[in-house]
Amino acid sequence: MPRISPWLFRKANRHSPNVAALLPACRDLPSAINELRWLKEHVNGTAHLAKGSLLARLCKKRGQGYPLQYILGSQPFGPLDIKCRSGVLIPRPETEAYTYHLADLIKSGSLKIGGSKHDLSVVDFCTGTGCIPLLLYALLYQKFDHLNVLGVDISTQAIKLARGNIDHNTRLGNLPDLQLNHGLDIMQEDIFHDEVIEKLKGRNWDVMVSNPPYISRRAWNHGGGQVGYSVRKYEPSLALVPRDDVPIPVNWNHEDIFYARLLKIARHLKPRAILLEIGDKEQARRVISQFLQNNPSANSEVQVWRDWPDLASAGDKDCLLEIPMQDGSSRAIPIQGDGNIRSIFIKLGA
């Protein structure tokens, strides 16, 4: 990361010492000024007597890389206000973008999923704050007569926060009060234990979503690529790096083991569509290759989505991802949207 020029620090200090304190994290003056405004609003909403000294401390803490969402305690996510706490992964705008795009595809009917009586069931694994299932519920509850959305996570802290986010957004009016034929719930389970399959496979699941841990040990320990300093220092490794106590399946990398497990779960739950966040192009290649080798059905459709899947791609972006196959051939998978490669979308044949 390039150093900030002394000239920019002097310019920030003319606004206020707090803006200058925020500059190392914000990297530019407009962002620092904007974050100072949010921090002032946050401090003014507290009962702290010495608001000026509290603001200065928070600006210094933020300037050292501590995530703004943990300081403010929340992150906007579509129409929702998602509470954030240290120990649970912060929702990202890219996750919000593909969740919206998935909801739009479902509402348009182009996926041809959901029962004949307008029923829909969605399960989200590694749910964290609950941002994905809550947003899907908020966007879809008016479309379906029967809607069931479930989030699953191993972390007690995440489960508590996700359930709290349901209550919080219901109180704010961002989520409707649960109706008789609708369900929105959070369940604590380890997806590497077969109990989760036993509990879920008796129900029909139309859509399976997951933003699992997918960062390699090397990237976590040394940085670079997907992982910035602030993320490695302050956000939970449990939500980002696969555990060391899970055996690595044959022909899979350690950072990909959640995808191996999720695809196995999908074979039991038989969803009609799967959406998986991934880290980069090479991980997309590896996961799609494994899926195609083990699910050779010609009825399955696979797409790669960029950060903003509903936007037109910039002219310099690849529109196809070549997937090498074991027999030496390759298969071209379409890429849509703009930004970095972010997720894999699979529509399974009947």
Side-chain angles (χ1 to χ4, degrees), residues 109-125:
S110 63
L111 298 183
K112 296 182 173 59
I113 59 176
S116 59
K117 295 182 179 179
H118 303 288
D119 301 348
L120 183 75
S121 291
V122 181
V123 60
D124 172 55
F125 292 104

Side-chain angles (χ1 to χ4, degrees), residues 288-293 323-331:
I288 294 172
S289 177
Q290 289 285 355
F291 170 77
L292 294 176
Q293 308 291 355
I323 307 297
M325 306 298 285
Q326 288 180 344
D327 62 3
S329 65
S330 65
R331 181 165 166 182

Side-chain angles (χ1 to χ4, degrees), residues 184-292:
L184 174 60
D185 200 6
I186 308 295
M187 181 174 77
Q188 186 170 18
E189 288 290 339
D190 183 343
I191 71 166
F192 288 96
H193 291 169
D194 287 341
E195 287 85 350
V196 71
I197 296 175
E198 294 304 314
K199 288 181 179 180
L200 298 179
K201 72 178 183 180
R203 298 151 69 178
N204 292 323
W205 296 102
D206 300 293
V207 181
M208 187 177 110
V209 188
S210 184
N211 177 12
Y214 55 66
I215 293 171
S216 70
R217 295 189 195 99
R218 179 180 178 81
W220 182 258
N221 291 332
H222 303 289
Q226 311 154 0
V227 198
Y229 168 80
S230 176
V231 174
R232 290 190 293 127
K233 185 171 182 179
Y234 297 111
E235 296 198 59
S237 62
L238 178 67
L240 294 162
V241 184
R243 294 146 39 190
D244 289 330
D245 63 336
V246 177
I248 303 173
V250 177
N251 298 324
W252 287 86
N253 292 0
H254 173 260
E255 59 265 36
D256 302 336
I257 58 176
F258 270 83
Y259 301 109
R261 181 61 177 175
L262 289 164
L263 291 177
K264 180 178 180 180
I265 290 173
R267 288 195 288 273
H268 288 277
L269 302 190
K270 304 185 186 311
R272 299 292 302 279
I274 303 170
L275 180 58
L276 304 173
E277 181 167 331
I278 45 88
D280 57 25
K281 179 189 292 187
E282 292 310 311
Q283 190 165 51
R285 273 200 177 98
R286 295 193 300 269
V287 175
I288 294 172
S289 177
Q290 289 285 355
F291 170 77
L292 294 176

Side-chain angles (χ1 to χ4, degrees), residues 145-181:
D145 297 332
H146 298 80
L147 175 64
N148 180 38
V149 182
L150 176 67
V152 181
D153 204 288
I154 190 176
S155 164
T156 300
Q157 193 172 1
I159 291 294
K160 183 178 179 180
L161 184 58
R163 289 172 177 165
N165 272 320
I166 295 176
D167 295 339
H168 173 63
N169 281 278
T170 301
R171 286 194 303 271
L172 291 177
N174 299 332
L175 288 173
D177 291 326
L178 289 180
Q179 303 171 20
L180 179 62
N181 296 322

Side-chain angles (χ1 to χ4, degrees), residues 101 278 280-281 284-285 288 302-314 316-323 331-345:
H101 191 62
I278 45 88
D280 57 25
K281 179 189 292 187
R285 273 200 177 98
I288 294 172
V302 183
Q303 298 174 359
V304 173
W305 292 356
R306 296 187 183 274
D307 290 330
W308 320 113
D310 56 343
L311 297 183
S313 175
D316 61 342
K317 302 288 188 184
D318 294 332
C319 60
L320 293 173
L321 183 66
E322 293 292 333
I323 307 297
R331 181 165 166 182
I333 301 298
I335 307 173
Q336 71 176 58
D338 197 20
N340 295 317
I341 284 177
R342 182 60 53 193
S343 56
I344 299 166
F345 177 73

